[in-house]
Amino acid sequence: MSLYNTLRRGAFLTEGDPHPVRYFAEEVCSPFVLVSDHAGRAVPSALGRLGIPEAEHERHIAYDIGIQGVGRRLRPALGAALIEQCYSRLVIDCNRSPGHPTSVPPVSDGTQIPANQALSEHERRVREDAILHPYHAVITAELDARTERPTALIALHSFTPVMQGVRRPWHAGVLFNRDSRLSHIVAGLLRAEGLCVGENEPYVLTDTSDYTVPLHAEARGLPYLEIEIRQDLIADEGGQIEWAERLARLLPQAWRALSI
Ligand SMILES: [Zn+2]
């Protein structure tokens, strides 16, 4: 039996481990609720370092490089609520439904994750209960408290410039499924600034590939934006400030355009 099998449910996160959710309350009356599924890269002490070299924890496979810095600057600029996941998506991916094949990835962009091999049902549920469900419960509570107010969910992500050897040309992408309204508006505003913008690039948003937007926005009929920013553009503070300022300027414009 592996070390991970010996863990009891509820004893997974210890006192030294961070709370899975970082919640920043709204500061002004804003239509936006910001969520950041892949902001963090913490690993519960019970999992050691997942059996991978430290350098792998610096890579895009562990988290969305740069997006926490964008979100933390965008939030006060908008006065909006921000909900961040603190744990690495290599522990459990909070933008995947429970039990999804890549929810607890056994391999990511060519890197085998020893702590994620042949997980039992119990081991998987321990991670869901400790990390995935508390995060989505906070988003649910935030949206439940706003049912009488116009609301748009803004899901913040970043993508690696090179995936499996292929270089990606877009500065940013907007991802959508059934409701593309806000995506198209924001894509147009970004293009007006001379940026190369993908639509459902570099990823396609579907009910099965994603979890946060289908669960919290589409199921409630809320408009949403899932934006992916290329990581080399926001790897340093200057780029994070630039993109936070850009989104703080464009999101209210997009919201007004949506409301017309
Ligand atoms: Zn992401």
Side-chain angles (χ1 to χ4, degrees):
M1 184 178 281
S2 74
L3 162 67
Y4 313 113
N5 274 325
T6 65
L7 294 167
R8 286 178 296 110
R9 274 176 86 176
F12 184 56
L13 297 181
T14 62
E15 225 166 77
D17 291 319
H19 190 278
V21 190
R22 191 83 191 264
Y23 173 72
F24 300 87
E26 182 181 63
E27 291 173 344
V28 301
C29 187
S30 169
F32 304 114
V33 172
L34 311 176
V35 296
S36 202
D37 303 339
H38 301 143
R41 54 174 164 160
V43 177
S45 52
L47 296 182
R49 297 301 282 161
L50 300 173
I52 56 177
E54 208 50 40
E56 297 287 342
H57 292 276
E58 309 287 329
R59 292 185 60 214
H60 72 95
I61 61 173
Y63 71 124
D64 279 3
I65 293 168
I67 205 64
Q68 186 186 72
V70 173
R72 295 268 180 102
R73 289 171 175 84
L74 177 60
R75 178 198 69 80
L78 293 172
L82 167 65
I83 300 154
E84 282 180 357
Q85 174 54 249
C86 297
Y87 284 94
S88 172
R89 66 166 159 225
L90 294 179
V91 177
I92 187 162
D93 189 333
C94 285
N95 195 26
R96 296 290 181 274
S97 58
H100 188 280
T102 60
S103 164
V104 180
V107 59
S108 183
D109 195 19
T111 297
Q112 295 280 329
I113 315 299
N116 295 352
Q117 303 301 316
L119 245 59
S120 68
E121 174 78 11
H122 170 72
E123 290 171 307
R124 185 172 62 74
R125 287 187 57 188
V126 163
R127 297 192 200 188
E128 290 169 4
D129 290 347
I131 296 169
L132 178 81
H133 296 317
Y135 173 67
H136 288 287
V138 172
I139 301 174
T140 296
E142 180 72 15
L143 296 175
D144 282 350
R146 302 175 55 101
T147 51
E148 303 302 316
R149 295 172 52 192
T151 296
L153 187 76
I154 309 297
L156 302 169
H157 291 269
S158 70
F159 67 96
T160 182
V162 179
M163 187 69 168
Q164 294 170 337
V166 177
R167 184 160 288 280
R168 293 153 150 187
W170 314 280
H171 295 106
V174 293
L175 314 186
F176 49 87
N177 189 10
R178 295 175 187 83
D179 182 353
S180 59
R181 292 173 297 164
L182 204 51
S183 297
H184 288 317
I185 295 168
V186 170
L189 292 170
L190 291 171
R191 287 190 185 116
E193 305 210 340
L195 297 169
C196 177
V197 183
E199 299 199 21
N200 272 336
E201 299 279 7
Y203 309 108
V204 177
L205 197 163
T206 69
D207 284 339
T208 49
S209 65
D210 284 62
Y211 187 52
T212 299
V213 161
L215 176 67
H216 297 294
E218 294 213 307
R220 290 174 185 257
L222 294 178
Y224 63 86
L225 175 73
E226 179 159 341
I227 187 164
E228 294 268 359
I229 305 170
R230 207 175 70 205
Q231 289 171 358
D232 57 310
L233 303 176
I234 54 171
D236 63 21
E237 194 180 10
Q240 293 163 14
I241 291 170
E242 181 186 330
W243 273 89
E245 288 179 349
R246 175 175 289 126
L247 293 177
R249 185 163 42 79
L250 298 184
L251 285 175
Q253 285 182 38
W255 179 253
R256 282 193 293 276
L258 184 75
S259 308
I260 290 171

